[in-house]
Amino acid sequence: DSTPLKKRLVYAGFFEKCAIIPVDGIIAESKEEVDEYFSIMRQEGEEGVVIKNLDSLYVTKKSKDWIKVKIQTDCDLVITDARLMKGSDKDIGSLTIETSDGKYSGSIGSGLNEEQRAKMFELHSQGALVGTIVAVRFHRLTAAGKFYLPRIIEVRTDKFEADSSEKVDELILLG
């Protein structure tokens, strides 16, 4: 559609004709208003907000005119298992990670870049991958205590113990 969002929203009966459910929102005039609304949404248990340019056109792909804003948390976790990529004997496919007390865990694979895969395989071939501490960024914890959308930031050669679940809980609260 070549009609900007602010015009599309005022069409009579727009929402009745589409499989779209309107959500509450605000029109923010400043970054401070966006930050305040984001804080309110987080307090209400929402994952984040989407910032939309009112003059934007609808596109079916990522756009600089519609931006998701979510909290992400960084913590240090231990690698407890590694699996090779299917059909390969030289590429790490996925890693299992967890807190020092094992309460929270997860699997990382699709987010590894080539450099990280090479580093992980080098450690794996030396028998040193399991037990390695890695800095991980994730969006949230699931109800089952799994890291949601985790990705490795770096290998922590300066640390020898993962964060506990209590520490991860504190980091999440600090947001």
Side-chain angles (χ1 to χ4, degrees):
D1 189 342
S2 61
T3 307
L5 175 64
K6 65 184 171 188
K7 288 186 180 176
R8 290 195 315 269
L9 292 177
V10 298
Y11 286 154
F14 175 76
F15 293 112
E16 289 80 18
K17 295 177 184 175
C18 300
I20 296 174
I21 300 169
V23 295
D24 291 333
I26 64 165
I27 295 178
E29 301 292 335
S30 67
K31 181 186 179 308
E32 290 75 23
E33 288 180 30
V34 171
D35 290 344
E36 183 179 338
Y37 186 67
F38 177 77
S39 293
I40 291 168
M41 292 296 97
R42 291 288 297 153
Q43 289 170 6
E44 291 180 5
E46 299 296 334
E47 190 173 62
V49 298
V50 177
I51 300 172
K52 299 178 180 181
N53 175 350
L54 289 177
D55 292 319
S56 66
L57 303 179
Y58 181 77
V59 294
T60 58
K61 58 184 178 183
K62 284 190 177 187
S63 166
K64 62 180 174 46
D65 289 320
W66 290 27
I67 302 168
K68 289 182 186 177
V69 180
K70 299 182 193 180
I71 290 288
Q72 297 181 57
T73 303
D74 292 0
C75 63
D76 297 321
L77 303 171
V78 63
I79 295 173
T80 58
D81 192 23
R83 290 177 196 84
L84 293 177
M85 196 175 287
K86 284 186 179 181
S88 174
D89 60 351
K90 295 185 179 182
D91 285 318
I92 295 295
S94 68
L95 303 169
T96 302
I97 50 167
E98 63 183 44
T99 53
S100 62
D101 54 13
K103 182 176 178 184
Y104 301 144
S105 63
S107 181
I108 294 180
S110 61
L112 296 173
N113 64 37
E114 286 186 38
E115 182 181 328
Q116 289 170 324
R117 283 189 196 284
K119 176 70 173 169
M120 297 298 152
F121 184 75
E122 179 185 337
L123 290 168
H124 178 69
S125 63
Q126 298 168 356
L129 185 56
V130 171
T132 297
I133 305 299
V134 288
V136 173
R137 180 168 292 149
F138 65 98
H139 286 270
R140 61 182 171 84
L141 287 169
T142 68
K146 303 292 183 189
F147 294 100
Y148 182 70
L149 297 177
R151 63 187 183 282
I152 291 178
I153 305 304
E154 66 177 326
V155 173
R156 293 294 307 264
T157 56
D158 61 325
K159 280 193 81 174
F160 302 100
E161 186 173 346
D163 292 336
S164 66
S165 57
E166 186 176 303
K167 174 71 174 178
V168 171
D169 288 338
E170 289 173 20
L171 293 168
I172 291 169
L173 286 175
L174 292 174

